[in-house]
Amino acid sequence: MAPVSIGNVRKSYGNVAIMHGVSVDIDDGEFVVLVGPSGCGKSTLLRMIAGLEDITSGTISIGGRVVNDLPPKARDISMVFQNYALYPHMTVAENMAFSLTLAKAPAEEKRRRVAEAAEILGLGDLLGRYPRQLSGGQRQRVAMGRSIVRNPQVFLFDEPLSNLDAKLRVAMRAEIKSLHKRLGTTIVYVTHDQVEAMTMADRIVVMQAGRVEQIGTPLELYDSP
Ligand code: ADP
Ligand code: ADP
């Protein structure tokens, strides 16, 4: 069970406040999309959930546990970035297994988890390839695979599709949705693309200048008169 609760979170850089008391309660297994114009604080909020950015005040809890002072590794989250960050000198399998390698997981467990993730993502035939031998969509899948092998309760996505061409972006939306259905994990997903938000979200959080402007289902936010 991993609901994510953001309680009156503020953030300042020096004496410049950029987030002014943001509160959002995300249910276990919910797919929540953060949208809003560039600079409104989406990425900062995501990074605070991930533990990559300090919170100036307020509380973030994951699975009912306050994580304010926990390092990223102890948070049961995994973050997928837009620039893939794959290691060029490692195969797909090695890239996917890397966090398990760091954690000194036994070879058998690594093999099993990589095989499972590869099956989910349709990467079974590509495990021996290097990133340069992959298409953009395949690289994105490997990046997701690296997260999936860790079996986190919460996935954080930071504009994962913005480097892909339009056609691939549409296909990957559907893939991420079906991944969500299959894994049942909580997802917090940042995008500046309203169509992406509409088609993927259970609920959308609209941010504006460091505040939450609206929260609701796609229907509530966009289809009401
Ligand atoms: P978004 O992801 O919605 O585009 P960000 O979360 O990246 O927005 O940024 C929110 C605000 O915080 C912006 O005004 C940005 O300039 C500011 N900001 C982000 N990182 C820093 C930093 N390291 N130092 C100072 N200001 C920052
Ligand atoms: P190496 O031979 O250096 O271990 P590989 O790319 O073959 O490099 O494998 C990296 C990791 O991925 C290994 O830890 C292995 O457990 C896993 N792995 C490799 N190939 C497969 C595969 N076909 N199915 C599942 N897991 C694999």
Side-chain angles (χ1 to χ4, degrees):
M1 289 289 283
V4 175
S5 181
I6 299 157
N8 199 19
V9 164
R10 294 168 192 274
K11 175 76 181 171
S12 300
Y13 287 105
N15 49 20
V16 180
I18 62 116
M19 201 162 295
H20 316 277
V22 165
S23 298
V24 183
D25 283 311
I26 299 169
D27 293 334
D28 182 35
E30 195 175 20
F31 195 135
V32 164
V33 177
L34 307 180
V35 290
S38 178
C40 71
K42 307 181 291 294
S43 166
T44 302
L45 186 58
L46 199 72
R47 292 169 58 81
M48 291 194 291
I49 298 170
L52 301 170
E53 196 82 67
D54 286 338
I55 303 170
T56 303
S57 69
T59 306
I60 293 181
S61 61
I62 298 174
R65 181 170 61 142
V66 174
V67 296
N68 286 23
D69 298 322
L70 291 185
K73 267 197 223 158
R75 293 187 177 209
D76 209 2
I77 53 100
S78 191
M79 188 142 164
V80 179
F81 298 92
Q82 70 171 249
N83 55 2
Y84 317 136
L86 301 180
Y87 298 107
H89 59 289
M90 292 184 193
T91 63
V92 166
E94 287 168 330
N95 264 287
M96 282 168 64
F98 189 63
S99 69
L100 303 174
T101 303
L102 283 183
K104 301 206 173 6
E108 180 46 42
E109 185 188 344
K110 281 206 288 193
R111 212 170 358 258
R112 182 175 51 77
R113 294 230 206 151
V114 169
E116 277 171 12
E119 196 266 316
I120 290 171
L121 294 164
L123 288 170
D125 297 335
L126 305 177
L127 287 170
R129 289 214 198 162
Y130 289 89
R132 71 184 134 76
Q133 301 170 312
L134 303 176
S135 70
Q138 290 167 339
R139 278 181 210 165
Q140 183 61 60
R141 269 183 229 134
V142 177
M144 290 196 274
R146 287 172 68 169
S147 293
I148 291 172
V149 297
R150 297 177 51 207
N151 198 23
Q153 293 301 300
V154 180
F155 278 98
L156 307 176
F157 286 88
D158 192 3
E159 307 224 12
L161 306 185
S162 58
N163 286 340
L164 304 179
D165 65 50
K167 198 170 153 204
L168 194 51
R169 213 174 322 159
V170 172
M172 289 302 293
R173 278 181 205 153
E175 283 199 26
I176 293 174
K177 278 300 278 179
S178 77
L179 186 70
H180 175 240
K181 229 178 230 152
R182 174 139 178 199
L183 298 177
T185 49
T186 307
I187 294 185
V188 187
Y189 185 107
V190 166
T191 181
H192 59 264
D193 182 335
Q194 297 224 349
V195 178
E196 215 166 287
M198 291 256 287
T199 52
M200 299 180 83
D202 292 328
R203 268 192 314 157
I204 297 173
V205 175
V206 183
M207 293 184 69
Q208 174 73 44
R211 290 191 165 81
V212 172
E213 198 173 60
Q214 278 181 297
I215 303 183
T217 64
L219 225 64
E220 285 166 353
L221 292 192
Y222 293 103
D223 280 2
S224 53

